[in-house]
């Protein structure tokens, strides 16, 4: 598919990417994690940097400082943990709604890669909380075009909050 | 959400009654639940504990250069932890002495001058007043640098680079205050002359639980691991979490400072002595820096978890960071930062021995963050179990019924053979360390230590001649900054 991909128009790439993000959000909202993992590349790196209040945007996150930095094994382990029914932060699981917007799609440096940016408002009502939390996040993703569809192989999810106001990141961003 | 009020005389009677009830309950190994979510108790804690004792601020390695600062909290206040232009570490109140505006709004940085965004008063990075716009017209002459400087924590001291501050003069020197716990600090942080360093900025998250629950948990609760964290065994990550309490021991260093120790080599495998540090790190350890008992302790049942009263905790445990890799120890430092009754911020940092190879530091950082912090597969579940306690603390039913919590595990008493300071318990079961934490709480809630008004303190310092007030390089910088601003304003007008 790689050779064909070069021929895809910007319009087609955008369609592919937006469709991917919308379907991913739905799978996560419906907690269909095994299907979600099928959308994740084996070489995935999923990062949530630590952010601070700083004047310069570039200094808000510092290299090497992460709340989460998972490879495929660690990410899949989170899914497995949730399935135990004893990951108490998510028992009962949060009810979530991910609204994905402001999508920017660009050709990646490799022919089979699309760079995609998106802004997400993740609404999360935990187990038996009355009020929900909103987790605002801007994601910079790289999607790989493969024979079995797009795969997420890089996600850099920058929270809009320096102090996190949901008590844990028991949900995927 | 950030509420603080100083207790009124009526409140004082209420608080005294609650504290008496807590003490009487502890004598029966019980604990009233309402101390975990109570406006008046919270206010009293801020006043009687957090402005009157040594409180952990951060680590020297976070502010290595002159002028480096990071924002921290003492009680509900935001404070500036700064290395001033002479290299001295200061803890400054973040409010301007002119009208009280907050001075600093960034989480970290480097500056020789803090300038107030309201009318432009400027302060040197040691807190001294340095100048103000239109100084001649507005004030005639310079104000006294210390009288009108930022409030400054009267005591700041470090232990292995860990910085503590006290807002009260009325505390013993840090080492004396920490007492026997210093011996544990040595065993944990003194294995190399270069000590430990922070691996990144702290991560902060808000948890709807009382600060004491986190502190109590790390003071001695190895019992919860097999239940709260069992998902991490069920998913195949770490085997046998249901048995870790059995291999856990207790170190009581008095005054509510205590540690849990684990025989990790029995839990995982014989090579896992010394927290399981791999050869590349342990080969650098300078064991002659420790005494025989410390060496034997870290070999066979090193302190893995602990609390220094009131709200500093420590965690060092081996954990895998990648598939098919052996667990490696990480060092996590945390603060249970009170925010409001039943609400805290959790601040966590990862540390490592400075001498460890960078590659190891990177791995240890990953291991620590995967388990702890807001995304941590252990910590996530702690945040939830503690939330319930804050709800119980506010429950009208629980209050009406006088609900008291159970601290009645059977106790076998300390090991009479123990050679080190404090007391050593072979079994962590018994909840004696948690009781000690609350005994210290009772003591501090009863204490009547004073915080001197800033003016009196400033006068005292000036009279003692400890401070020189004059035009130093950074005062000049401050004045130059003001002149610059005025020039710009003039240009605009
Ligand atoms: S309040 Fe700071 S200068 Fe006026
Ligand atoms: Fe825990």
């Amino acid at each position: 598919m790689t050779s064909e991909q070069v021929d895809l128009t910007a319009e087609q790439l955008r369609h592919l990417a937006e469709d991917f993000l919308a379907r991913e959000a739905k799978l996560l909202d419906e907690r269909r994690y095994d299907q979600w993992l099928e959308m994740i590349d084996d070489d995935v790196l999923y990062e949530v940097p630590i952010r601070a209040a700083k004047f310069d945007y570039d200094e808000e996150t510092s290299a090497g400082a992460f709340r989460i930095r998972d490879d495929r094994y660690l990410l899949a382990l989170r899914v497995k943990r949730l399935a135990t029914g004893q990951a108490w932060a998510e028992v009962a699981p949060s009810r979530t709604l991910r609204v994905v917007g402001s999508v920017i799609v660009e050709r990646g440096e490799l022919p089979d890669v699309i760079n995609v940016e998106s802004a997400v408002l993740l609404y999360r009502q935990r187990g038996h909380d009355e009020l929900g939390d909103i987790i605002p996040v801007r994601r910079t993703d790289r999607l790989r075009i493969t024979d079995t569809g797009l795969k997420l192989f890089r996600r850099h999810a920058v929270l809009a909050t320096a102090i996190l106001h949901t008590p844990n990141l028991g949900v995927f961003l | 959400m950030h509420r603080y009020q100083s207790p009124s005389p009526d409140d004082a009677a209420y608080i005294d009654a609650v504290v008496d009830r807590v003490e009487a309950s502890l004598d029966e190994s019980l604990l009233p639940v309402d101390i975990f979510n109570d406006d008046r108790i919270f206010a009293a804690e801020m006043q009687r504990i957090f402005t009157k004792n040594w409180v952990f601020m951060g680590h020297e390695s976070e502010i290595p250069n002159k002028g480096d600062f990071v924002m921290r909290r003492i009680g509900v206040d935001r404070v500036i932890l700064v290395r001033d232009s002479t290299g001295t570490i200061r803890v400054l109140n973040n409010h301007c002495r002119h009208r009280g505006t907050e001075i600093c709004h960034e989480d970290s940085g480097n500056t020789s001058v803090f300038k107030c965004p309201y009318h432009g008063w400027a302060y040197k990075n040691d807190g001294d007043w340095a100048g103000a716009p239109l100084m001649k017209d507005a004030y005639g002459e310079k104000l006294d640098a210390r009288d009108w400087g930022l409030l400054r924590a009267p005591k700041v001291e470090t232990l292995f680079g860990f910085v503590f501050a006290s807002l009260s003069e009325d505390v013993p020197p840090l080492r004396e205050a920490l007492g026997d716990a210093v011996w544990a600090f040595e065993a944990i942080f003194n294995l190399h002359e270069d000590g430990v360093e922070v691996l990144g900025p702290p991560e902060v998250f808000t948890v709807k639980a009382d600060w004491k629950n986190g502190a109590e948990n790390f003071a001695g609760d190895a019992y919860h691991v097999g239940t709260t964290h069992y998902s991490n065994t069920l998913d195949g990550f770490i085997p046998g979490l249901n048995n870790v309490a059995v291999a856990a021991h207790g170190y009581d260093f008095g005054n509510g400072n205590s540690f849990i120790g684990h025989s990790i080599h029995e839990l995982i495998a014989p090579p896992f002595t010394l927290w399981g540090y791999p050869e590349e790190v342990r080969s650098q350890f300078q064991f002659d820096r420790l005494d025989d008992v410390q060496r034997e302790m870290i070999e066979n049942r090193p302190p893995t978890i602990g609390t220094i009263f009131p709200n500093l905790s420590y965690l060092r445990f081996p954990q895998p960071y990648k598939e098919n890799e052996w667990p490696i120890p990480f060092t996590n430092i945390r603060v249970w930062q009170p925010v409001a009754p039943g609400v805290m911020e959790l601040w966590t940092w990862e540390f490592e021995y400075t001498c460890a190879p960078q590659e190891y530091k990177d791995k240890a950082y990953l291991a620590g963050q995967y388990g702890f912090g807001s995304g941590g597969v252990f910590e996530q579940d702690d945040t939830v179990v503690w939330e319930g306690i804050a709800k119980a603390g506010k429950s009208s039913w629980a209050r009406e019924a006088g609900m008291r919590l159970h601290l009645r595990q059977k106790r076998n008493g300390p090991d009479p053979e123990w050679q080190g300071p404090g007391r050593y318990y072979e079994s962590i079961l018994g909840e004696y360390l948690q009781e000690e934490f609350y005994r210290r709480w009772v003591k501090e809630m009863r204490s009547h230590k004073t915080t001197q008004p800033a003016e009196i303190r400033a006068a005292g310092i000036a009279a003692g001649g400890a401070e020189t007030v004059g035009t130093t390089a950074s005062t000049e910088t401050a004045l130059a900054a003001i002149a610059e601003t005025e020039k710009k304003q003039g240009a605009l007008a």
Side-chain angles (χ1 to χ4, degrees):
Chain A
M1 183 153 178
T2 303
S3 53
E4 288 167 34
Q5 190 268 315
V6 190
D7 300 332
L8 293 173
T9 65
E11 213 31 50
Q12 287 169 318
L13 288 181
R14 162 169 285 276
H15 173 77
L16 279 176
E18 284 186 344
D19 189 64
F20 178 92
L21 294 182
R23 285 178 194 284
E24 185 203 13
K26 181 174 158 69
L27 289 181
L28 287 174
D29 285 346
E30 294 175 1
R31 305 197 296 274
R32 288 148 66 183
Y33 296 124
D34 289 335
Q35 282 170 274
W36 176 63
L37 282 176
E38 288 170 18
M39 300 175 85
I40 309 293
D41 197 88
D42 284 349
D43 295 330
V44 71
L45 185 60
Y46 169 99
E47 295 175 337
V48 183
I50 292 172
R51 191 169 187 176
K54 296 284 290 181
F55 185 76
D56 288 320
Y57 181 79
D58 289 344
E59 289 182 13
E60 288 185 348
T61 52
S62 39
F66 299 99
R67 289 179 188 269
I68 293 178
R69 192 169 198 266
D70 285 357
D71 62 10
R72 167 123 197 156
Y73 165 73
L74 295 175
L75 201 58
L77 192 59
R78 289 184 195 271
V79 168
K80 226 171 154 186
R81 197 178 86 83
L82 289 171
T84 64
Q86 297 193 32
W88 307 113
E90 283 292 306
V91 177
S94 299
R95 294 160 295 280
T96 62
L97 178 72
R98 290 164 174 81
V99 181
V100 185
S102 300
V103 179
I104 299 170
V105 181
E106 278 168 359
R107 283 177 205 278
E109 52 283 9
L110 295 169
D112 62 338
V113 170
I114 324 177
N115 294 344
V116 185
E117 264 196 64
S118 60
V120 181
L121 284 179
L122 197 174
Y123 176 80
R124 170 197 202 189
Q125 190 186 39
R126 295 184 307 142
H128 45 260
D129 266 5
E130 287 159 29
L131 295 174
D133 302 331
I134 290 176
I135 309 175
V137 57
R138 178 171 281 278
R139 305 180 306 190
T140 303
D141 295 340
R142 286 189 196 167
L143 305 178
R144 182 174 279 157
I145 303 173
T146 74
D147 293 338
T148 51
L150 294 185
K151 306 278 179 199
L152 176 74
F153 81 98
R154 178 96 160 92
R155 170 158 290 166
H156 190 71
V158 180
L159 295 159
T161 46
I163 297 173
L164 189 71
H165 281 286
T166 191
N168 56 64
L169 290 175
V171 291
F172 295 102
L173 304 180
Chain B
M1 195 148 80
H2 309 293
R3 283 176 286 168
Y4 172 79
Q5 63 207 55
S6 161
S8 76
D10 285 353
D11 292 344
Y14 168 82
I15 292 157
D16 288 346
V18 172
V19 173
D20 288 347
R21 186 153 53 85
V22 170
E23 186 172 47
S25 297
L26 288 174
D27 291 342
E28 299 174 67
S29 295
L30 295 170
L31 184 64
V33 76
D34 37 311
I35 60 166
F36 296 114
N37 197 341
D38 184 296
D39 288 1
R40 287 179 285 185
I41 291 297
F42 182 81
E45 287 174 340
M46 295 308 99
Q47 189 194 42
R48 299 180 187 185
I49 297 175
F50 285 87
T51 68
K52 302 289 188 290
N53 284 284
W54 288 107
V55 179
F56 173 69
M57 291 285 97
H59 193 264
E60 281 194 57
S61 58
E62 295 183 271
I63 45 171
N65 307 305
K66 290 174 181 170
D68 284 351
F69 71 88
V70 289
M71 295 307 289
R72 292 294 136 89
R73 302 185 74 160
I74 298 185
V76 292
D77 291 314
R78 287 182 197 283
V79 302
I80 307 170
L81 172 65
V82 57
R83 190 183 289 271
D84 74 18
S85 294
T86 69
T88 305
I89 295 177
R90 308 279 187 181
V91 171
L92 307 174
N93 184 284
N94 194 27
H95 292 279
C96 182
R97 296 294 304 283
H98 178 232
R99 282 295 184 284
T101 296
E102 272 188 305
I103 301 279
C104 185
H105 291 270
E106 288 193 89
D107 285 336
S108 62
N110 181 286
T111 190
S112 55
V113 176
F114 293 103
K115 197 178 139 201
C116 176
Y118 197 178
H119 310 91
W121 277 28
Y123 301 89
K124 284 163 53 179
N125 58 13
D126 64 0
D128 275 359
W129 187 88
L134 310 175
M135 195 147 70
K136 288 239 156 47
D137 292 338
Y139 300 103
E141 58 179 22
K142 282 205 287 183
L143 306 186
D144 183 88
R146 188 81 295 266
D147 277 357
W148 295 104
L150 297 174
L151 301 189
R152 190 192 266 172
K155 303 239 173 175
V156 178
E157 289 181 25
T158 63
L159 183 64
F160 301 114
F162 294 93
V163 184
F164 294 74
S166 168
L167 302 187
S168 168
E169 304 258 16
D170 193 9
V171 288
L174 179 64
R175 279 176 173 267
E176 204 179 298
L178 294 181
D180 289 340
V182 172
W183 184 84
F185 262 68
E186 283 169 5
I188 295 165
F189 299 113
N190 195 27
L191 271 162
H192 191 277
E193 61 198 344
D194 296 337
V196 294
E197 64 179 13
V198 73
L199 297 184
E203 72 161 284
V204 187
F205 52 113
T206 308
V207 178
K208 295 171 204 163
D210 190 72
W211 66 275
K212 295 187 290 300
N213 292 124
E216 172 212 306
N217 177 281
F218 273 58
D221 194 332
Y223 178 54
H224 81 291
V225 176
T227 304
T228 306
H229 303 301
Y230 194 51
S231 63
N232 292 298
T233 290
L234 290 174
D235 67 9
F237 185 41
I238 295 178
L241 284 171
N242 45 327
N243 285 322
V244 290
V246 181
H249 320 285
Y251 298 99
D252 177 4
F253 295 111
N255 274 327
N257 303 323
S258 59
F259 289 81
I260 300 169
H262 278 95
S263 302
I264 302 171
H265 63 295
E266 285 168 18
L267 280 170
I268 303 179
F272 279 74
T273 56
L274 295 170
W275 295 277
Y277 269 112
E279 190 52 30
E280 75 236 54
V281 184
R282 69 166 69 196
S283 61
Q284 310 219 39
F285 286 158
Q286 299 159 336
F287 293 102
D288 56 355
R289 299 175 70 82
L290 303 188
D291 69 33
D292 290 346
V293 185
Q294 286 168 320
R295 279 201 294 258
E296 194 277 333
M297 172 175 75
I298 63 172
E299 196 67 29
N300 297 315
R301 36 186 197 291
T304 45
I305 297 163
T307 288
I308 301 296
F309 189 91
N311 66 334
L312 167 65
S313 285
Y314 145 88
L315 165 63
R316 180 185 290 162
F317 214 87
Q319 196 187 279
Y321 67 97
K322 210 178 171 58
E323 189 171 22
N324 300 323
E325 291 281 349
W326 283 103
I328 56 167
F330 59 86
T331 300
N332 183 287
I333 293 292
R334 61 215 11 260
V335 162
W336 319 99
Q337 175 60 52
V339 170
V343 183
M344 69 169 149
E345 282 170 0
L346 233 166
W347 291 57
T348 70
W349 296 255
E350 301 295 345
F351 279 78
E352 195 42 74
Y353 269 102
T354 309
C355 66
Q358 185 59 43
E359 198 196 336
Y360 183 81
K361 291 176 184 166
D362 294 344
K363 292 191 238 173
Y365 186 85
L366 275 188
Q369 290 297 91
Y370 192 71
F372 293 84
S374 55
V377 293
F378 280 80
E379 189 114 55
Q380 287 180 26
D381 298 335
D382 287 316
T383 66
V384 173
V385 295
W386 298 334
E387 279 179 17
I389 307 167
K391 289 181 188 170
K394 249 205 149 38
S395 152
S396 46
W397 185 353
R399 283 180 174 235
E400 285 302 303
M403 179 171 164
R404 294 190 293 173
L405 306 177
H406 185 286
L407 278 85
R408 289 185 170 173
Q409 284 178 1
K410 106 179 136 75
R411 296 184 185 176
N412 291 322
D415 179 353
E417 310 279 282
W418 173 241
Q419 302 292 311
R423 293 176 186 170
Y424 169 71
Y425 294 81
E426 182 60 25
S427 170
I428 197 66
L429 300 172
E431 297 170 327
Y432 39 87
L433 299 177
Q434 291 95 316
E435 178 183 327
E436 285 306 309
F437 176 84
Y438 291 110
R439 295 253 179 222
R440 172 76 184 275
W441 182 88
V442 165
K443 183 174 160 215
E444 296 302 333
M445 290 292 276
R446 285 228 179 93
S447 80
H448 295 283
K449 290 178 193 163
T450 57
T451 304
Q452 289 180 37
E455 287 73 18
I456 298 170
R457 186 160 68 237
I461 290 170
E467 303 286 310
T468 46
V469 180
T471 308
T472 65
S474 55
T475 309
E476 270 158 20
T477 320
L479 296 176
I482 291 167
E484 180 67 17
T485 314
E486 284 179 351
K487 223 164 64 194
K488 279 191 203 141
Q489 282 161 350
L492 287 173

